[in-house]
Amino acid sequence: MGVNVPRIKLGSQGLEVSKQGLGCMGMSAFYGPPKPEPDMIKLIHHAINSGVTFLDTSDMYGPYTNEILIGKALKGGMREKVQLASKFGIFHQDGKREVRGEPAYVRSACESSLKRLDVDCIDLYYVHRIDTRVPIEITMGELKKLVEEGKIKYIGLSEASASTIRRAHAVHPITAVQLEWSLWSRDVEEELIPTCRELGIGIVPYSPLGRGFLSIGPKLLENASEGDLRKAYIPRFYDENLENNKLIYEKISEMATSKGCTPSQLALAWVHHQGDDVSPIPGTTKIDNFNDNIRALTVELSPEEMAQLSTLADNVKGDRYASMVSTWKNADTPPLASWKADA
């Protein structure tokens, strides 16, 4: 394709990844039925051979089936070519979810993921959501042991508050924080991004294309298959907000046309231009869309264009998630002293 995918240092502990990663969630879960396994393995191999070697999964995608898929895709010498990230912390049982971060669960979740992925070590292991009943120091203490045992190389946090990031980082260096950052999710810029940069922590934006909306606009929902949870759990897609948010997509499309690129490329380029400590992980299930996304790395944006795009987020209507979902805004954990007192 003629696109050079740069490498960046993620965090200050030595992890090097492709400047753009691949989010694998939609291959197995949440956005309609699971996609055919052979097609997804072909896509993963295409990504790796194109220079996108930073793969992102989680035990909750499926649950469990996405890790199994990734494990199959990494057979035959592919494992050595990738930086493999997975996540734990959202426990599934009888159709219910519970956020858990106690040491025994941390260990059992990691060992189960290693088996499903069929690997000896996970490169970057994230706390997917923060258990607000357990001091983050306790969760981190077990993760630190897993690093020492060689089961994981680097530790990450997802949807963590600034104070949680600081407390976790004091126990063991955090390599990356995963958060939603895009042209319609910029609230992380006030406190989370500066905290990460102060501590030398890499930034991994998920849903950099607004869960696909910044790629194709309202058509996303018209074409959504049965079982696509975006309509149910993302208020920005609710009817009362959609008409307003459609205008944002139209403005992105207009600028993309004037620059000779696609809306996806423009939206991703905006994220890439945030700095060399940022590796977004757009997801896709189609090779054509992957090829489109990777060309975002060739799109240049002037300071004026960046500013023009940045103002679009001010007009977004609707929350990122339905209210029952835990996010960085409600991710503080109890003080360590209280855990010791109760233990």
Side-chain angles (χ1 to χ4, degrees), residues 148-182:
E148 290 164 353
E149 293 165 21
K151 292 178 177 175
I152 62 179
K153 286 185 185 173
Y154 303 98
I155 300 173
L157 302 175
S158 175
E159 290 287 345
S161 68
S163 64
T164 298
I165 294 168
R166 289 184 185 280
R167 287 170 58 188
H169 192 70
V171 177
H172 185 280
I174 299 297
T175 289
V177 168
Q178 192 168 130
L179 37 73
E180 187 170 357
W181 195 12
S182 72

PDB file of all heavy atoms in Angstrom, residues 148-182:
ATOM      1  N   GLU A 148       6.989  -9.759  37.591  1.00  0.00           N
ATOM      2  CA  GLU A 148       8.195 -10.399  38.131  1.00  0.00           C
ATOM      3  C   GLU A 148       8.281 -11.874  37.724  1.00  0.00           C
ATOM      4  O   GLU A 148       9.371 -12.423  37.543  1.00  0.00           O
ATOM      5  CB  GLU A 148       8.213 -10.257  39.651  1.00  0.00           C
ATOM      6  CG  GLU A 148       8.451  -8.817  40.106  1.00  0.00           C
ATOM      7  CD  GLU A 148       8.089  -8.573  41.567  1.00  0.00           C
ATOM      8  OE1 GLU A 148       7.526  -9.499  42.211  1.00  0.00           O
ATOM      9  OE2 GLU A 148       8.355  -7.461  42.060  1.00  0.00           O
ATOM     10  N   GLU A 149       7.105 -12.511  37.569  1.00  0.00           N
ATOM     11  CA  GLU A 149       7.061 -13.924  37.180  1.00  0.00           C
ATOM     12  C   GLU A 149       7.165 -14.126  35.665  1.00  0.00           C
ATOM     13  O   GLU A 149       7.218 -15.258  35.193  1.00  0.00           O
ATOM     14  CB  GLU A 149       5.765 -14.558  37.693  1.00  0.00           C
ATOM     15  CG  GLU A 149       5.693 -14.651  39.209  1.00  0.00           C
ATOM     16  CD  GLU A 149       4.279 -14.936  39.706  1.00  0.00           C
ATOM     17  OE1 GLU A 149       3.455 -15.453  38.912  1.00  0.00           O
ATOM     18  OE2 GLU A 149       4.000 -14.632  40.878  1.00  0.00           O
ATOM     19  N   GLY A 150       7.175 -13.014  34.904  1.00  0.00           N
ATOM     20  CA  GLY A 150       7.304 -13.113  33.454  1.00  0.00           C
ATOM     21  C   GLY A 150       6.011 -13.444  32.727  1.00  0.00           C
ATOM     22  O   GLY A 150       6.031 -13.758  31.533  1.00  0.00           O
ATOM     23  N   LYS A 151       4.867 -13.332  33.409  1.00  0.00           N
ATOM     24  CA  LYS A 151       3.587 -13.633  32.760  1.00  0.00           C
ATOM     25  C   LYS A 151       3.049 -12.430  31.985  1.00  0.00           C
ATOM     26  O   LYS A 151       2.296 -12.596  31.023  1.00  0.00           O
ATOM     27  CB  LYS A 151       2.582 -14.112  33.800  1.00  0.00           C
ATOM     28  CG  LYS A 151       2.974 -15.477  34.356  1.00  0.00           C
ATOM     29  CD  LYS A 151       2.032 -15.980  35.415  1.00  0.00           C
ATOM     30  CE  LYS A 151       2.483 -17.380  35.855  1.00  0.00           C
ATOM     31  NZ  LYS A 151       1.687 -17.890  36.983  1.00  0.00           N
ATOM     32  N   ILE A 152       3.434 -11.242  32.422  1.00  0.00           N
ATOM     33  CA  ILE A 152       3.126 -10.028  31.670  1.00  0.00           C
ATOM     34  C   ILE A 152       4.388  -9.162  31.646  1.00  0.00           C
ATOM     35  O   ILE A 152       5.238  -9.269  32.538  1.00  0.00           O
ATOM     36  CB  ILE A 152       1.928  -9.237  32.265  1.00  0.00           C
ATOM     37  CG1 ILE A 152       2.226  -8.770  33.698  1.00  0.00           C
ATOM     38  CG2 ILE A 152       0.662 -10.076  32.228  1.00  0.00           C
ATOM     39  CD1 ILE A 152       1.086  -7.962  34.332  1.00  0.00           C
ATOM     40  N   LYS A 153       4.515  -8.323  30.621  1.00  0.00           N
ATOM     41  CA  LYS A 153       5.692  -7.458  30.517  1.00  0.00           C
ATOM     42  C   LYS A 153       5.416  -6.058  31.045  1.00  0.00           C
ATOM     43  O   LYS A 153       6.241  -5.470  31.737  1.00  0.00           O
ATOM     44  CB  LYS A 153       6.168  -7.375  29.066  1.00  0.00           C
ATOM     45  CG  LYS A 153       6.864  -8.631  28.571  1.00  0.00           C
ATOM     46  CD  LYS A 153       7.403  -8.411  27.158  1.00  0.00           C
ATOM     47  CE  LYS A 153       8.000  -9.704  26.611  1.00  0.00           C
ATOM     48  NZ  LYS A 153       8.372  -9.555  25.188  1.00  0.00           N
ATOM     49  N   TYR A 154       4.268  -5.503  30.671  1.00  0.00           N
ATOM     50  CA  TYR A 154       3.959  -4.118  31.016  1.00  0.00           C
ATOM     51  C   TYR A 154       2.526  -4.040  31.515  1.00  0.00           C
ATOM     52  O   TYR A 154       1.664  -4.847  31.138  1.00  0.00           O
ATOM     53  CB  TYR A 154       4.132  -3.200  29.809  1.00  0.00           C
ATOM     54  CG  TYR A 154       5.519  -3.261  29.198  1.00  0.00           C
ATOM     55  CD1 TYR A 154       5.781  -4.057  28.081  1.00  0.00           C
ATOM     56  CD2 TYR A 154       6.568  -2.529  29.746  1.00  0.00           C
ATOM     57  CE1 TYR A 154       7.046  -4.119  27.519  1.00  0.00           C
ATOM     58  CE2 TYR A 154       7.846  -2.584  29.192  1.00  0.00           C
ATOM     59  CZ  TYR A 154       8.079  -3.382  28.080  1.00  0.00           C
ATOM     60  OH  TYR A 154       9.338  -3.449  27.528  1.00  0.00           O
ATOM     61  N   ILE A 155       2.259  -3.025  32.351  1.00  0.00           N
ATOM     62  CA  ILE A 155       0.941  -2.856  32.966  1.00  0.00           C
ATOM     63  C   ILE A 155       0.265  -1.603  32.418  1.00  0.00           C
ATOM     64  O   ILE A 155       0.899  -0.549  32.260  1.00  0.00           O
ATOM     65  CB  ILE A 155       1.066  -2.743  34.500  1.00  0.00           C
ATOM     66  CG1 ILE A 155       1.710  -4.014  35.073  1.00  0.00           C
ATOM     67  CG2 ILE A 155      -0.306  -2.512  35.139  1.00  0.00           C
ATOM     68  CD1 ILE A 155       2.038  -3.918  36.559  1.00  0.00           C
ATOM     69  N   GLY A 156      -1.040  -1.729  32.147  1.00  0.00           N
ATOM     70  CA  GLY A 156      -1.830  -0.594  31.688  1.00  0.00           C
ATOM     71  C   GLY A 156      -3.106  -0.445  32.496  1.00  0.00           C
ATOM     72  O   GLY A 156      -3.523  -1.357  33.211  1.00  0.00           O
ATOM     73  N   LEU A 157      -3.722   0.709  32.383  1.00  0.00           N
ATOM     74  CA  LEU A 157      -5.027   0.980  32.988  1.00  0.00           C
ATOM     75  C   LEU A 157      -5.973   1.459  31.903  1.00  0.00           C
ATOM     76  O   LEU A 157      -5.550   2.101  30.942  1.00  0.00           O
ATOM     77  CB  LEU A 157      -4.921   2.069  34.063  1.00  0.00           C
ATOM     78  CG  LEU A 157      -3.974   1.842  35.244  1.00  0.00           C
ATOM     79  CD1 LEU A 157      -3.937   3.095  36.123  1.00  0.00           C
ATOM     80  CD2 LEU A 157      -4.402   0.636  36.066  1.00  0.00           C
ATOM     81  N   SER A 158      -7.255   1.147  32.066  1.00  0.00           N
ATOM     82  CA  SER A 158      -8.269   1.629  31.125  1.00  0.00           C
ATOM     83  C   SER A 158      -9.377   2.318  31.915  1.00  0.00           C
ATOM     84  O   SER A 158      -9.812   1.806  32.955  1.00  0.00           O
ATOM     85  CB  SER A 158      -8.842   0.450  30.334  1.00  0.00           C
ATOM     86  OG  SER A 158      -9.899   0.870  29.494  1.00  0.00           O
ATOM     87  N   GLU A 159      -9.812   3.464  31.428  1.00  0.00           N
ATOM     88  CA  GLU A 159     -10.880   4.235  32.087  1.00  0.00           C
ATOM     89  C   GLU A 159     -10.555   4.459  33.565  1.00  0.00           C
ATOM     90  O   GLU A 159     -11.381   4.222  34.449  1.00  0.00           O
ATOM     91  CB  GLU A 159     -12.235   3.535  31.927  1.00  0.00           C
ATOM     92  CG  GLU A 159     -12.784   3.554  30.519  1.00  0.00           C
ATOM     93  CD  GLU A 159     -13.311   4.921  30.063  1.00  0.00           C
ATOM     94  OE1 GLU A 159     -13.528   5.803  30.912  1.00  0.00           O
ATOM     95  OE2 GLU A 159     -13.509   5.098  28.848  1.00  0.00           O
ATOM     96  N   ALA A 160      -9.347   4.942  33.836  1.00  0.00           N
ATOM     97  CA  ALA A 160      -8.922   5.237  35.203  1.00  0.00           C
ATOM     98  C   ALA A 160      -8.887   6.737  35.431  1.00  0.00           C
ATOM     99  O   ALA A 160      -8.528   7.500  34.535  1.00  0.00           O
ATOM    100  CB  ALA A 160      -7.537   4.640  35.464  1.00  0.00           C
ATOM    101  N   SER A 161      -9.231   7.171  36.637  1.00  0.00           N
ATOM    102  CA  SER A 161      -9.168   8.593  36.973  1.00  0.00           C
ATOM    103  C   SER A 161      -7.718   9.014  37.173  1.00  0.00           C
ATOM    104  O   SER A 161      -6.821   8.183  37.333  1.00  0.00           O
ATOM    105  CB  SER A 161      -9.951   8.854  38.261  1.00  0.00           C
ATOM    106  OG  SER A 161      -9.296   8.240  39.361  1.00  0.00           O
ATOM    107  N   ALA A 162      -7.485  10.313  37.187  1.00  0.00           N
ATOM    108  CA  ALA A 162      -6.122  10.825  37.357  1.00  0.00           C
ATOM    109  C   ALA A 162      -5.529  10.379  38.693  1.00  0.00           C
ATOM    110  O   ALA A 162      -4.357   9.979  38.769  1.00  0.00           O
ATOM    111  CB  ALA A 162      -6.120  12.349  37.239  1.00  0.00           C
ATOM    112  N   SER A 163      -6.320  10.426  39.760  1.00  0.00           N
ATOM    113  CA  SER A 163      -5.788  10.036  41.068  1.00  0.00           C
ATOM    114  C   SER A 163      -5.485   8.539  41.105  1.00  0.00           C
ATOM    115  O   SER A 163      -4.486   8.118  41.708  1.00  0.00           O
ATOM    116  CB  SER A 163      -6.762  10.406  42.190  1.00  0.00           C
ATOM    117  OG  SER A 163      -7.971   9.686  42.072  1.00  0.00           O
ATOM    118  N   THR A 164      -6.308   7.733  40.443  1.00  0.00           N
ATOM    119  CA  THR A 164      -6.057   6.288  40.377  1.00  0.00           C
ATOM    120  C   THR A 164      -4.782   6.007  39.589  1.00  0.00           C
ATOM    121  O   THR A 164      -3.976   5.151  39.965  1.00  0.00           O
ATOM    122  CB  THR A 164      -7.255   5.562  39.746  1.00  0.00           C
ATOM    123  OG1 THR A 164      -8.412   5.771  40.576  1.00  0.00           O
ATOM    124  CG2 THR A 164      -7.011   4.069  39.614  1.00  0.00           C
ATOM    125  N   ILE A 165      -4.586   6.733  38.496  1.00  0.00           N
ATOM    126  CA  ILE A 165      -3.359   6.577  37.696  1.00  0.00           C
ATOM    127  C   ILE A 165      -2.134   6.879  38.553  1.00  0.00           C
ATOM    128  O   ILE A 165      -1.152   6.124  38.562  1.00  0.00           O
ATOM    129  CB  ILE A 165      -3.396   7.501  36.456  1.00  0.00           C
ATOM    130  CG1 ILE A 165      -4.499   7.057  35.492  1.00  0.00           C
ATOM    131  CG2 ILE A 165      -2.041   7.513  35.745  1.00  0.00           C
ATOM    132  CD1 ILE A 165      -4.804   8.071  34.388  1.00  0.00           C
ATOM    133  N   ARG A 166      -2.187   7.965  39.305  1.00  0.00           N
ATOM    134  CA  ARG A 166      -1.042   8.346  40.141  1.00  0.00           C
ATOM    135  C   ARG A 166      -0.748   7.291  41.209  1.00  0.00           C
ATOM    136  O   ARG A 166       0.406   6.916  41.440  1.00  0.00           O
ATOM    137  CB  ARG A 166      -1.302   9.697  40.810  1.00  0.00           C
ATOM    138  CG  ARG A 166      -1.265  10.861  39.848  1.00  0.00           C
ATOM    139  CD  ARG A 166      -1.445  12.190  40.602  1.00  0.00           C
ATOM    140  NE  ARG A 166      -1.531  13.290  39.658  1.00  0.00           N
ATOM    141  CZ  ARG A 166      -0.487  13.856  39.067  1.00  0.00           C
ATOM    142  NH1 ARG A 166       0.738  13.401  39.315  1.00  0.00           N
ATOM    143  NH2 ARG A 166      -0.645  14.856  38.223  1.00  0.00           N
ATOM    144  N   ARG A 167      -1.785   6.826  41.859  1.00  0.00           N
ATOM    145  CA  ARG A 167      -1.594   5.837  42.930  1.00  0.00           C
ATOM    146  C   ARG A 167      -1.067   4.516  42.360  1.00  0.00           C
ATOM    147  O   ARG A 167      -0.197   3.873  42.955  1.00  0.00           O
ATOM    148  CB  ARG A 167      -2.912   5.623  43.672  1.00  0.00           C
ATOM    149  CG  ARG A 167      -3.298   6.788  44.572  1.00  0.00           C
ATOM    150  CD  ARG A 167      -4.720   6.664  45.100  1.00  0.00           C
ATOM    151  NE  ARG A 167      -4.923   5.422  45.843  1.00  0.00           N
ATOM    152  CZ  ARG A 167      -6.113   5.010  46.266  1.00  0.00           C
ATOM    153  NH1 ARG A 167      -7.203   5.741  46.013  1.00  0.00           N
ATOM    154  NH2 ARG A 167      -6.229   3.878  46.929  1.00  0.00           N
ATOM    155  N   ALA A 168      -1.587   4.107  41.217  1.00  0.00           N
ATOM    156  CA  ALA A 168      -1.137   2.858  40.590  1.00  0.00           C
ATOM    157  C   ALA A 168       0.318   2.976  40.169  1.00  0.00           C
ATOM    158  O   ALA A 168       1.129   2.062  40.396  1.00  0.00           O
ATOM    159  CB  ALA A 168      -2.016   2.543  39.377  1.00  0.00           C
ATOM    160  N   HIS A 169       0.659   4.095  39.579  1.00  0.00           N
ATOM    161  CA  HIS A 169       2.010   4.329  39.052  1.00  0.00           C
ATOM    162  C   HIS A 169       3.050   4.334  40.181  1.00  0.00           C
ATOM    163  O   HIS A 169       4.222   4.016  39.958  1.00  0.00           O
ATOM    164  CB  HIS A 169       2.032   5.661  38.303  1.00  0.00           C
ATOM    165  CG  HIS A 169       3.255   5.903  37.473  1.00  0.00           C
ATOM    166  ND1 HIS A 169       3.521   5.199  36.317  1.00  0.00           N
ATOM    167  CD2 HIS A 169       4.288   6.780  37.629  1.00  0.00           C
ATOM    168  CE1 HIS A 169       4.658   5.638  35.789  1.00  0.00           C
ATOM    169  NE2 HIS A 169       5.148   6.592  36.574  1.00  0.00           N
ATOM    170  N   ALA A 170       2.623   4.693  41.404  1.00  0.00           N
ATOM    171  CA  ALA A 170       3.536   4.705  42.549  1.00  0.00           C
ATOM    172  C   ALA A 170       3.909   3.286  42.993  1.00  0.00           C
ATOM    173  O   ALA A 170       4.957   3.080  43.609  1.00  0.00           O
ATOM    174  CB  ALA A 170       2.904   5.475  43.710  1.00  0.00           C
ATOM    175  N   VAL A 171       3.050   2.318  42.667  1.00  0.00           N
ATOM    176  CA  VAL A 171       3.312   0.916  43.024  1.00  0.00           C
ATOM    177  C   VAL A 171       4.223   0.257  41.991  1.00  0.00           C
ATOM    178  O   VAL A 171       5.175  -0.445  42.319  1.00  0.00           O
ATOM    179  CB  VAL A 171       1.993   0.124  43.152  1.00  0.00           C
ATOM    180  CG1 VAL A 171       2.261  -1.352  43.441  1.00  0.00           C
ATOM    181  CG2 VAL A 171       1.108   0.729  44.232  1.00  0.00           C
ATOM    182  N   HIS A 172       3.900   0.470  40.730  1.00  0.00           N
ATOM    183  CA  HIS A 172       4.694  -0.066  39.616  1.00  0.00           C
ATOM    184  C   HIS A 172       4.431   0.823  38.410  1.00  0.00           C
ATOM    185  O   HIS A 172       3.293   1.235  38.181  1.00  0.00           O
ATOM    186  CB  HIS A 172       4.284  -1.512  39.306  1.00  0.00           C
ATOM    187  CG  HIS A 172       5.133  -2.157  38.245  1.00  0.00           C
ATOM    188  ND1 HIS A 172       4.940  -1.930  36.893  1.00  0.00           N
ATOM    189  CD2 HIS A 172       6.178  -3.008  38.343  1.00  0.00           C
ATOM    190  CE1 HIS A 172       5.834  -2.624  36.209  1.00  0.00           C
ATOM    191  NE2 HIS A 172       6.598  -3.288  37.058  1.00  0.00           N
ATOM    192  N   PRO A 173       5.459   1.141  37.619  1.00  0.00           N
ATOM    193  CA  PRO A 173       5.232   2.055  36.486  1.00  0.00           C
ATOM    194  C   PRO A 173       4.114   1.575  35.557  1.00  0.00           C
ATOM    195  O   PRO A 173       4.081   0.413  35.155  1.00  0.00           O
ATOM    196  CB  PRO A 173       6.583   2.045  35.762  1.00  0.00           C
ATOM    197  CG  PRO A 173       7.579   1.680  36.813  1.00  0.00           C
ATOM    198  CD  PRO A 173       6.873   0.730  37.736  1.00  0.00           C
ATOM    199  N   ILE A 174       3.223   2.493  35.244  1.00  0.00           N
ATOM    200  CA  ILE A 174       2.169   2.236  34.261  1.00  0.00           C
ATOM    201  C   ILE A 174       2.736   2.590  32.886  1.00  0.00           C
ATOM    202  O   ILE A 174       3.310   3.664  32.701  1.00  0.00           O
ATOM    203  CB  ILE A 174       0.915   3.086  34.561  1.00  0.00           C
ATOM    204  CG1 ILE A 174       0.339   2.733  35.935  1.00  0.00           C
ATOM    205  CG2 ILE A 174      -0.134   2.910  33.470  1.00  0.00           C
ATOM    206  CD1 ILE A 174      -0.138   1.312  36.067  1.00  0.00           C
ATOM    207  N   THR A 175       2.595   1.681  31.937  1.00  0.00           N
ATOM    208  CA  THR A 175       3.137   1.906  30.599  1.00  0.00           C
ATOM    209  C   THR A 175       2.152   2.645  29.706  1.00  0.00           C
ATOM    210  O   THR A 175       2.538   3.485  28.899  1.00  0.00           O
ATOM    211  CB  THR A 175       3.536   0.557  29.962  1.00  0.00           C
ATOM    212  OG1 THR A 175       4.695   0.081  30.653  1.00  0.00           O
ATOM    213  CG2 THR A 175       3.850   0.692  28.484  1.00  0.00           C
ATOM    214  N   ALA A 176       0.848   2.334  29.848  1.00  0.00           N
ATOM    215  CA  ALA A 176      -0.144   2.961  28.965  1.00  0.00           C
ATOM    216  C   ALA A 176      -1.482   3.092  29.673  1.00  0.00           C
ATOM    217  O   ALA A 176      -1.840   2.263  30.517  1.00  0.00           O
ATOM    218  CB  ALA A 176      -0.319   2.131  27.688  1.00  0.00           C
ATOM    219  N   VAL A 177      -2.198   4.129  29.313  1.00  0.00           N
ATOM    220  CA  VAL A 177      -3.585   4.302  29.739  1.00  0.00           C
ATOM    221  C   VAL A 177      -4.453   4.297  28.490  1.00  0.00           C
ATOM    222  O   VAL A 177      -4.192   5.025  27.529  1.00  0.00           O
ATOM    223  CB  VAL A 177      -3.779   5.605  30.543  1.00  0.00           C
ATOM    224  CG1 VAL A 177      -5.259   5.921  30.717  1.00  0.00           C
ATOM    225  CG2 VAL A 177      -3.092   5.503  31.903  1.00  0.00           C
ATOM    226  N   GLN A 178      -5.464   3.443  28.510  1.00  0.00           N
ATOM    227  CA  GLN A 178      -6.412   3.379  27.397  1.00  0.00           C
ATOM    228  C   GLN A 178      -7.638   4.205  27.772  1.00  0.00           C
ATOM    229  O   GLN A 178      -8.171   4.083  28.876  1.00  0.00           O
ATOM    230  CB  GLN A 178      -6.801   1.918  27.135  1.00  0.00           C
ATOM    231  CG  GLN A 178      -7.554   1.743  25.831  1.00  0.00           C
ATOM    232  CD  GLN A 178      -7.695   0.286  25.418  1.00  0.00           C
ATOM    233  OE1 GLN A 178      -8.797  -0.161  25.112  1.00  0.00           O
ATOM    234  NE2 GLN A 178      -6.592  -0.456  25.392  1.00  0.00           N
ATOM    235  N   LEU A 179      -8.042   5.063  26.855  1.00  0.00           N
ATOM    236  CA  LEU A 179      -9.183   5.941  27.109  1.00  0.00           C
ATOM    237  C   LEU A 179      -9.830   6.312  25.777  1.00  0.00           C
ATOM    238  O   LEU A 179      -9.239   6.148  24.714  1.00  0.00           O
ATOM    239  CB  LEU A 179      -8.725   7.204  27.858  1.00  0.00           C
ATOM    240  CG  LEU A 179      -7.367   7.813  27.503  1.00  0.00           C
ATOM    241  CD1 LEU A 179      -7.398   8.513  26.169  1.00  0.00           C
ATOM    242  CD2 LEU A 179      -6.899   8.752  28.598  1.00  0.00           C
ATOM    243  N   GLU A 180     -11.043   6.770  25.853  1.00  0.00           N
ATOM    244  CA  GLU A 180     -11.725   7.184  24.621  1.00  0.00           C
ATOM    245  C   GLU A 180     -11.332   8.623  24.304  1.00  0.00           C
ATOM    246  O   GLU A 180     -11.553   9.532  25.098  1.00  0.00           O
ATOM    247  CB  GLU A 180     -13.247   7.066  24.766  1.00  0.00           C
ATOM    248  CG  GLU A 180     -13.966   7.324  23.454  1.00  0.00           C
ATOM    249  CD  GLU A 180     -15.447   6.983  23.484  1.00  0.00           C
ATOM    250  OE1 GLU A 180     -15.944   6.481  24.500  1.00  0.00           O
ATOM    251  OE2 GLU A 180     -16.121   7.250  22.455  1.00  0.00           O
ATOM    252  N   TRP A 181     -10.728   8.791  23.125  1.00  0.00           N
ATOM    253  CA  TRP A 181     -10.259  10.126  22.713  1.00  0.00           C
ATOM    254  C   TRP A 181     -10.462  10.233  21.216  1.00  0.00           C
ATOM    255  O   TRP A 181      -9.928   9.444  20.435  1.00  0.00           O
ATOM    256  CB  TRP A 181      -8.779  10.275  23.061  1.00  0.00           C
ATOM    257  CG  TRP A 181      -8.262  11.692  23.015  1.00  0.00           C
ATOM    258  CD1 TRP A 181      -8.982  12.845  22.920  1.00  0.00           C
ATOM    259  CD2 TRP A 181      -6.885  12.092  23.092  1.00  0.00           C
ATOM    260  NE1 TRP A 181      -8.146  13.934  22.929  1.00  0.00           N
ATOM    261  CE2 TRP A 181      -6.852  13.503  23.037  1.00  0.00           C
ATOM    262  CE3 TRP A 181      -5.676  11.402  23.196  1.00  0.00           C
ATOM    263  CZ2 TRP A 181      -5.665  14.227  23.077  1.00  0.00           C
ATOM    264  CZ3 TRP A 181      -4.496  12.126  23.247  1.00  0.00           C
ATOM    265  CH2 TRP A 181      -4.490  13.524  23.196  1.00  0.00           C
ATOM    266  N   SER A 182     -11.267  11.191  20.826  1.00  0.00           N
ATOM    267  CA  SER A 182     -11.583  11.348  19.406  1.00  0.00           C
ATOM    268  C   SER A 182     -12.175  12.732  19.188  1.00  0.00           C
ATOM    269  O   SER A 182     -12.283  13.527  20.123  1.00  0.00           O
ATOM    270  CB  SER A 182     -12.598  10.284  18.965  1.00  0.00           C
ATOM    271  OG  SER A 182     -13.887  10.578  19.496  1.00  0.00           O
TER     272      SER A 182
END
